Amino acid sequence: MSNEHIDPKDGEETEQAPSLDPKIAHHSTYIDETKQILSTYVECESFDELERRVVEENILNKNTDEYRTNILREVTRRHIPSKEEYTETPLMQIMSADVRSDVTDWCLYYEFAQDPFIRLVTVDFLYPEFERGTLAVQATDIVTFIESIQDDYADLRDRSESTINEAATKYLTALRNYGLLEGIQRKEFAVTYVPDETIAYVVYRLFGKGCKSASDVIEHDDWKLFLMNESEAQRRVRDISPQYVSYEKRGSTERLITKHDNIEELIDAF
């Protein structure tokens, strides 16, 4: 069964100002650890059992209980909705399925970048720099941006200079680890290709987040997380396999048809 979403749209989304906490940028991206933790969680369907395997059995092969506990805490904060009740998210399904590694990595990046701090810096600073043709960015550029918005967000207002500097450095390291940037001191924009499956995943996630029409999806700021402008997003959605999504544009009317009833069925089709 397919689901058809047609323009014109009937209203604009309204978003509240996000709660910005730069602490997410103070930790490693834990890409491999996140994959292992989430796939293990799906296998055991119990946070207590997951904790036992991570801390006591040391499935991550880390040196100390404290380090293993800290990694689990960080991955839990980012990606596990509840310690009390098992809930399998689409990302968990991706991690436990037989999906290509590039698809897995880009879906993981997309979910990581939903953190309000990561998202704001990427959408409001990094993407505009990329669009204007900037070749590379440094931590000092991120610091300058954060300081320019500091007074607008209570979570940032009282942060120390050292906290902001560390957040800027770790932010750039995170995006390098995920493949959007490359380099050591000066981070250059990398040449990237987001797989069709990840494009489809984002489309379904956007409909799940409240998008009502084709243009809601195409114009959504989430594409900027991949450094895609609106025309690039439209081209990628248009060109992905029709087994996932079908896109049509006739005059001023756009039609976006999702070929699966939900994102779980989509992932099963990868």
Side-chain angles (χ1 to χ4, degrees):
M1 183 181 297
S2 63
N3 301 286
E4 193 170 356
H5 309 272
I6 305 175
D7 286 334
K9 53 190 174 181
D10 54 11
E12 298 291 335
E13 290 183 42
T14 58
E15 297 184 0
Q16 295 179 341
S19 174
L20 292 182
D21 191 340
K23 67 183 177 182
I24 194 170
H26 284 235
H27 300 277
S28 168
T29 41
Y30 298 135
I31 294 174
D32 291 337
E33 292 86 350
T34 298
K35 292 177 181 178
Q36 187 167 5
I37 286 172
L38 294 186
S39 60
T40 300
Y41 185 48
V42 171
E43 178 186 330
C44 63
E45 297 188 3
S46 163
F47 185 83
D48 290 342
E49 174 63 16
L50 172 67
E51 186 174 36
R52 189 188 69 78
R53 294 189 189 185
V54 171
V55 179
E56 297 180 18
E57 291 188 4
N58 191 18
I59 62 173
L60 300 179
N61 194 28
K62 303 300 181 183
N63 290 332
T64 67
D65 284 359
E66 182 181 12
Y67 188 32
R68 297 192 286 270
T69 299
N70 287 340
I71 294 174
L72 177 60
R73 181 186 303 117
E74 184 62 19
V75 173
T76 299
R77 186 173 66 81
R78 294 175 187 176
H79 301 299
I80 297 180
S82 171
K83 294 181 181 180
E84 286 71 37
E85 182 179 358
Y86 174 74
T87 301
E88 185 173 322
T89 65
L91 182 63
M92 292 176 194
Q93 185 183 353
I94 286 278
M95 294 302 145
S96 60
D98 185 20
V99 178
R100 292 198 327 269
S101 60
D102 59 333
V103 176
T104 299
D105 289 348
W106 283 110
C107 289
L108 179 56
Y109 164 70
Y110 175 72
E111 299 298 349
F112 170 81
Q114 296 304 309
D115 173 82
F117 177 79
I118 302 295
R119 191 177 192 283
L120 182 76
V121 177
T122 306
V123 170
D124 286 8
F125 172 75
L126 195 68
Y127 170 79
E129 290 298 309
F130 177 76
E131 277 292 285
R132 69 169 56 100
T134 300
L135 299 178
V137 293
Q138 302 179 75
T140 52
D141 301 322
I142 307 296
V143 169
T144 299
F145 169 74
I146 296 173
E147 290 176 343
S148 74
I149 64 171
Q150 216 167 351
D151 289 342
D152 299 331
Y153 298 93
D155 290 330
L156 297 179
R157 200 168 296 141
D158 298 325
R159 299 288 176 169
S160 67
E161 182 179 352
S162 62
T163 297
I164 297 301
N165 285 333
E166 184 179 3
T169 300
K170 293 295 180 66
Y171 167 82
L172 290 177
T173 299
L175 265 65
R176 182 193 65 192
N177 291 345
Y178 277 110
L180 268 78
L181 302 173
E182 57 189 9
I184 306 302
Q185 296 299 324
R186 285 169 55 85
K187 301 293 192 298
E188 298 182 354
F189 289 101
V191 177
T192 62
Y193 181 78
V194 180
D196 283 356
E197 291 87 346
T198 301
I199 299 295
Y201 177 89
V202 173
V203 169
Y204 280 67
R205 286 283 282 115
L206 290 177
F207 280 126
K209 289 164 66 173
C211 289
K212 302 296 185 185
S213 66
S215 60
D216 279 350
V217 170
I218 299 298
E219 297 170 11
H220 202 281
D221 276 350
D222 274 11
W223 300 110
K224 296 177 182 178
L225 299 172
F226 300 101
L227 306 180
M228 291 185 192
N229 59 28
E230 186 179 323
S231 62
E232 175 69 2
Q234 183 185 53
R235 184 184 69 79
R236 291 304 312 277
V237 171
R238 181 192 66 206
D239 292 346
I240 63 175
S241 172
Q243 68 175 310
Y244 305 138
V245 175
S246 177
Y247 172 83
E248 299 175 2
K249 183 176 176 63
R250 297 177 182 176
S252 60
T253 300
E254 294 176 296
R255 179 178 287 105
L256 193 56
I257 304 170
T258 51
K259 295 303 182 71
H260 300 277
D261 286 341
N262 52 56
I263 195 168
E264 290 78 18
E265 291 183 7
L266 170 74
I267 294 169
D268 286 340
F270 286 169

